């Protein structure tokens, strides 16, 4: 007999590949339909929980104060959608705006529901549940590629093109996160040789796709973090969160050094395209980031609460970039940085709330990592998201990194006395 707990867990695992199907539907069926498809498994989880609450007639608070912090961050980005409607953003309508807000909120609340239903199961492991979802995501993309399908949102001829993803670079980031998590499962071959071999095969396939997609940003972050985790230097490294705050300015300052490193024969062979202009501008991203810096220095409209969703278009920040890239208009461009997108759209208030969310998640998962619990692999995923959100769009809005971030915040907001968040057991939290 299928229990509610097993049904909730199954829907949660399904949400990972289904998110990719929703991404495919964005082009195939339209933006609003695609957003609804992405949110569907999460909405089903919440629907089951609400029906359960109506049946029981009682609500027992199981979350801590960080729940309000996370909801505050989600309220900020949701408000930006309403502000975008007010400023007549060409990307937002009443219908797709409402669906976007649902998609922002549903993954986090669904993750909380997963913790609630599994809180009395001593064998529950959130990290394994996330990994199973990721493996299903890889599987459906491999099937799609085998059938000759390609990504319709963003792709290049001759490169790997996972069809069920928010563009091929979005897929590269997720594949990098999966492989960082797999490092924790590839430590001891002797414990379970068959399982080790299967996961190692997944790692190799993911690595092949990452290299074929040829995303230099994701590859650079992945290589650095891999070295830190393999050597265990991550355990003694201090100031990691503070360092992540300066990812963008550090990369811009050391652009020439990065080019020199990527020009080494080993990286030229792996990455293939190592053009000086392309590398030092990070494929033109610095033009966009400089426009945002000019806004901060000279304009500052909407600096406190933001300019609404697609706020760069209200300010016409990227008109010059649109002309440079031969675009018909700047309304369909983004900042190529979740950090800058949020700063422009949600203002200082939104950014401070996001910093607080990242800090809360970082502290939680770092403690699991230092204690080597079963949740430790999620620290690798969280650290990757923490660095990449400044230099790519993956951590914003409907992109997969934003969804994953708030899924990972589910365990963080549960009360400490609940079994789901006990972190003192060296064998792993009994979640």
């Amino acid at each position: 007999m299928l229990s509610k707990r097993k049904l909730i867990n199954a829907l949660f695992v399904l949400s990972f590949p289904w998110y990719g199907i929703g991404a495919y539907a964005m082009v195939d069926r339209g933006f609003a339909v695609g957003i609804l498809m992405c949110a569907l498994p999460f909405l089903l989880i919440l629907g089951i929980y609400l029906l359960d609450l109506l049946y029981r007639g009682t609500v027992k608070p199981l979350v801590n104060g960080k729940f309000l912090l996370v909801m505050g961050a989600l309220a900020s980005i949701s408000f930006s959608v309403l502000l975008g409607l007010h400023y007549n953003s060409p990307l937002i309508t009443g219908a797709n705006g409402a669906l976007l807000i649902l998609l922002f909120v549903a993954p986090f609340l669904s993750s909380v529901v997963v913790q609630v239903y599994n809180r009395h199961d001593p064998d529950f492991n959130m990290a394994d549940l996330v990994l199973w979802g990721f493996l299903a995501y890889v599987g459906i993309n491999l099937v799609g590629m085998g059938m000759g399908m390609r990504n319709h949102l963003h792709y290049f001829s001759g490169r790997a093109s996972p069809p069920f993803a928010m563009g091929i670079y979005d897929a590269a980031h997720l594949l990098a996160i999966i492989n960082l998590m797999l490092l924790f499962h590839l430590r001891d071959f002797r414990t379970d040789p068959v399982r080790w071999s299967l996961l190692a095969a997944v790692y190799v396939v993911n690595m092949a796709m990452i290299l074929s997609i040829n995303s230099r940003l994701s590859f650079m972050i992945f290589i650095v973090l891999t070295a830190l985790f393999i050597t265990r230097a991550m355990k003694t490294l201090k100031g990691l969160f503070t360092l992540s705050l300066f990812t963008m300015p550090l990369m811009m300052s050391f652009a020439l050094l990065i080019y020199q490193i990527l020009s080494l024969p080993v990286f030229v062979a792996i990455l293939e395209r190592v053009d000086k202009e392309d590398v030092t501008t990070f494929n033109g991203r610095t033009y966009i980031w400089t426009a945002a810096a000019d806004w901060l220095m000279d304009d500052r409209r909407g600096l406190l609460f933001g300019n609404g969703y697609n706020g760069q278009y209200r300010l016409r920040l990227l008109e010059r970039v649109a002309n440079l890239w031969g675009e018909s208009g700047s309304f369909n461009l983004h900042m190529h940085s979740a950090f800058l997108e949020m700063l422009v759209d949600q203002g200082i208030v939104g950014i401070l709330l996001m910093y607080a969310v990242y800090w809360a998640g970082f502290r939680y998962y770092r403690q699991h990592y230092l204690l080597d619990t079963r949740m430790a692999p999620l620290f690798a995923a969280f650290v990757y998201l923490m660095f990449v959100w400044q230099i790519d769009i993956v951590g914003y809005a409907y992109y997969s990194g934003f969804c994953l971030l708030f899924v990972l915040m589910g365990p963080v907001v549960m009360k400490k006395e609940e079994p789901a968040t006990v972190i003192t057991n060296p064998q792993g939290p009994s979640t």
Side-chain angles (χ1 to χ4, degrees):
M1 183 176 178
L2 184 64
S3 66
K4 285 179 290 187
R5 180 179 64 83
K6 291 180 178 177
L7 177 59
I8 292 292
N9 290 351
L11 284 171
F12 181 77
V13 171
L14 176 66
S15 68
F16 287 73
W18 198 263
Y19 209 91
I21 293 174
Y24 191 86
M26 280 187 187
V27 176
D28 194 47
R29 299 298 176 89
F31 183 72
V33 173
I35 292 296
L36 178 60
M37 291 279 285
C38 289
L40 192 57
F42 302 115
L43 295 176
L44 288 174
I45 290 173
L46 295 177
I48 293 169
Y49 180 62
L50 289 174
L51 287 174
D52 199 13
L53 284 181
L54 290 173
Y55 176 77
R56 287 184 294 167
T58 59
V59 179
K60 180 182 178 182
L62 298 172
V63 295
N64 58 37
K66 295 184 181 70
F67 179 84
L68 294 178
L69 167 65
V70 176
M71 289 304 297
L74 291 172
S76 174
I77 192 170
S78 299
F79 175 72
S80 78
V81 172
L82 301 179
L83 203 55
L85 278 169
H86 173 72
Y87 289 132
N88 299 313
S89 167
L91 297 183
I92 300 294
T93 65
N96 66 32
L99 291 172
L100 270 175
I101 292 173
L102 279 178
L103 183 60
F104 295 159
V105 176
F108 167 64
L109 294 179
S110 299
S111 181
V112 172
V113 169
V114 170
Q115 312 309 309
V116 170
Y117 276 95
N118 289 278
R119 67 191 185 281
H120 297 310
D121 180 8
D123 296 322
F124 174 65
N125 183 354
M126 181 66 170
D128 277 355
L129 209 61
V130 170
L131 183 60
W132 276 111
F134 273 141
L135 294 179
Y137 170 87
V138 172
I140 194 174
N141 273 292
L142 287 175
V143 170
M145 292 170 68
M147 294 172 61
M149 300 173 71
R150 62 168 173 78
N151 196 290
H152 288 298
L153 285 167
H154 188 209
Y155 68 93
F156 294 97
S157 178
R159 299 195 214 172
S161 183
F164 304 111
M166 296 287 180
I168 61 171
Y169 291 150
D170 191 280
H173 290 302
L174 286 188
L175 292 169
I177 289 172
I178 297 168
N179 274 11
L180 286 172
M181 292 181 64
L182 286 176
L183 291 177
F184 290 79
H185 298 272
L186 299 175
R187 292 173 175 174
D188 190 356
F189 173 79
R190 292 169 297 180
T191 302
D192 190 340
V194 175
R195 182 176 183 273
W196 190 96
S197 299
L198 290 173
L199 292 179
V202 173
Y203 184 95
V204 171
V205 170
N206 288 351
M207 199 69 220
M209 282 200 285
I210 291 171
L211 294 176
S212 181
I213 290 171
N214 206 353
S215 171
R216 290 164 302 194
L217 287 175
S218 63
F219 182 75
M220 284 189 294
I221 296 174
F222 169 71
I223 288 297
V224 171
L225 293 182
T226 295
L228 291 174
F229 279 110
I230 287 179
T231 62
R232 303 294 182 96
M234 188 65 79
K235 284 189 176 289
T236 58
L237 189 62
K238 304 295 183 182
L240 189 66
F241 183 82
T242 303
L243 181 65
S244 74
L245 304 182
F246 301 98
T247 306
M248 180 187 294
L250 283 172
M251 289 188 66
M252 292 178 70
S253 299
F254 291 98
L256 285 174
L257 177 60
I258 292 172
Y259 169 70
Q260 293 297 327
I261 293 172
L262 294 181
S263 297
L264 295 173
V266 60
F267 290 115
V268 171
I270 292 173
L271 298 176
E272 296 178 0
R273 55 188 184 104
V274 184
D275 175 78
K276 184 175 182 179
E277 173 70 15
D278 203 23
V279 171
T280 55
T281 65
F282 302 103
N283 200 24
R285 283 173 170 82
T286 55
Y287 303 136
I288 294 175
W289 300 342
T290 300
D294 291 340
W295 165 69
L296 276 173
M297 294 293 293
D298 304 326
D299 189 338
R300 294 187 290 279
R301 276 178 293 167
L303 183 59
L304 187 57
F305 295 107
N307 295 280
Y309 193 87
N310 197 31
Q312 63 81 15
Y313 183 67
R314 181 207 172 205
L315 301 172
R316 300 299 195 271
L317 282 184
L318 303 183
E319 291 298 311
R320 177 178 172 273
V321 176
N323 292 332
L324 184 66
W325 290 355
E327 298 284 343
S328 57
S330 66
F331 68 91
N332 60 348
L333 297 179
H334 55 70
M335 304 300 294
H336 282 276
S337 162
F339 164 78
L340 288 180
E341 195 78 39
M342 290 178 182
L343 181 60
V344 172
D345 294 359
Q346 299 167 234
I348 291 176
V349 171
I351 280 295
L352 290 179
L353 286 168
M354 282 301 296
Y355 274 141
V357 167
Y358 274 106
W359 174 241
F362 173 74
R363 289 186 63 192
Y364 177 86
Y365 285 109
R366 185 172 185 270
Q367 193 167 5
H368 276 289
Y369 173 67
L370 293 176
L371 294 173
D372 202 20
T373 74
R374 291 181 297 178
M375 294 278 276
L378 294 180
F379 179 62
F382 200 91
V383 170
Y384 186 95
L385 291 174
M386 195 170 71
F387 277 93
V388 82
W389 83 301
Q390 283 205 4
I391 56 175
D392 211 340
I393 198 65
V394 67
Y396 178 70
Y398 56 84
Y399 293 93
S400 61
F402 186 85
C403 174
L404 177 59
L405 170 68
F406 285 96
V407 162
L408 294 182
M409 291 305 294
V412 179
V413 304
M414 305 304 293
K415 283 186 176 178
K416 286 186 178 181
E417 61 267 23
E418 292 296 327
T421 56
V422 173
I423 59 177
T424 57
N425 180 3
Q427 300 303 316
S430 47
T431 53

